[in-house]
Amino acid sequence: MSCPLLCHPDKVVLLPPVLFPCTDYYRCMAKYGRAVIDTSMRYDKRRKEVHRYDIADTRGRLSLTVPVSRPAGAFVAGNLCWNQVTVSDHGRWWEVHRIALESAYGRTPFFEFYIDRFAPLFSPEPRPVTDMVVEADVLIRDILGLEVQMLADVPEGCVTDDFRRQLPVFDERPYWQVRQQQLGFVSGLSVLDLIFNLGPEAPLFLF
């Protein structure tokens, strides 16, 4: 399902690299015909969203972090970019994440339908964390039916909307969550929450 009417068909939206971002990330992307995920953004350790995402388990919000490592010397030189930061095998995180996702969403209607598509991402293989971000984004856009042209760079002369520092604020759109009766609606979670809970209806909450 694609957006019935693009708000900015001729603009390019600039977005930060975010692993399994919140639904608003894709609500923003869906308004544009073209997008760039800036994997060469300057490294900032405060930007945990590049390798951390939030889900909801039995106790409420839970943050899952992919540990990363920096190349020696680059950070000292002050020129480290996120695409130089690599996924670490510390703490067997890939097993922790898979177990946490199954515990949180194993009873949702669509977990078993989608989890095998995401499973290859949870690997200890060393690679730039931005590669993981981009691979996850490809899967998510396919599931959500977003027909956005993804570019490596902004073409010369193109008008852009730059949301690399902060996403636009959207009105909250609650949707059904498997533990809503116990927890109430938990906002700002990873788009995985939307996908596992709503499945094919997830795109309806982007527009």
Side-chain angles (χ1 to χ4, degrees):
M1 176 180 176
S2 59
C3 180
L5 180 62
L6 294 176
C7 299
H8 310 290
D10 299 321
K11 288 185 176 181
V12 176
V13 60
L14 277 169
L15 296 168
V18 181
L19 181 62
F20 298 130
C22 66
T23 302
D24 278 355
Y25 188 95
Y26 289 101
R27 290 181 70 185
C28 176
M29 185 186 289
K31 296 180 179 297
Y32 293 82
R34 293 174 291 177
V36 172
I37 296 176
D38 186 3
T39 59
S40 62
M41 279 183 62
R42 184 66 58 86
Y43 171 78
D44 183 343
K45 66 180 181 180
R46 296 170 297 182
R47 301 204 67 155
K48 301 298 185 183
E49 70 273 13
V50 179
H51 57 108
R52 177 183 295 172
Y53 58 100
D54 288 350
I55 64 172
D57 69 359
T58 55
R59 294 168 292 181
R61 187 181 302 272
L62 173 67
S63 293
L64 297 175
T65 302
V66 175
V68 294
S69 59
R70 306 189 300 251
F75 186 58
V76 176
N79 58 359
L80 181 63
C81 298
W82 274 109
N83 55 15
Q84 297 172 285
V85 176
T86 57
V87 173
S88 168
D89 63 359
H90 180 73
R92 301 187 69 83
W93 65 267
W94 56 96
E95 294 179 353
V96 173
H97 286 226
R98 286 198 296 258
I99 291 170
L101 287 169
E102 183 171 3
S103 175
Y105 299 112
R107 295 184 179 180
T108 60
F110 301 100
F111 178 78
E112 291 187 359
F113 185 79
Y114 291 112
I115 190 58
D116 286 347
R117 298 184 64 177
F118 292 111
L121 296 173
F122 300 102
S123 163
E125 175 190 358
R127 73 272 200 200
V129 67
T130 52
D131 283 7
M132 185 177 181
V133 167
V134 170
E135 290 168 15
D137 171 72
V138 170
L139 291 173
I140 292 166
R141 283 188 289 106
D142 183 59
I143 291 170
L144 296 178
L146 284 182
E147 298 176 358
V148 180
Q149 183 183 3
M150 302 302 293
L151 307 173
D153 297 292
V154 178
E156 185 176 353
C158 281
V159 178
T160 65
D161 282 340
D162 188 347
F163 297 117
R164 288 176 294 180
R165 296 300 172 191
Q166 184 174 353
L167 289 174
V169 177
F170 293 94
D171 292 335
E172 186 175 59
R173 297 188 62 188
Y175 54 87
W176 181 84
Q177 294 174 326
V178 69
R179 294 189 175 87
Q180 191 163 344
Q181 185 173 354
Q182 300 98 312
L183 303 174
F185 178 74
V186 183
S187 63
L189 298 177
S190 164
V191 69
L192 292 177
D193 185 86
L194 180 76
I195 290 170
F196 291 144
N197 279 301
L198 296 190
E201 294 185 3
L204 299 175
F205 284 79
L206 300 182
F207 310 119

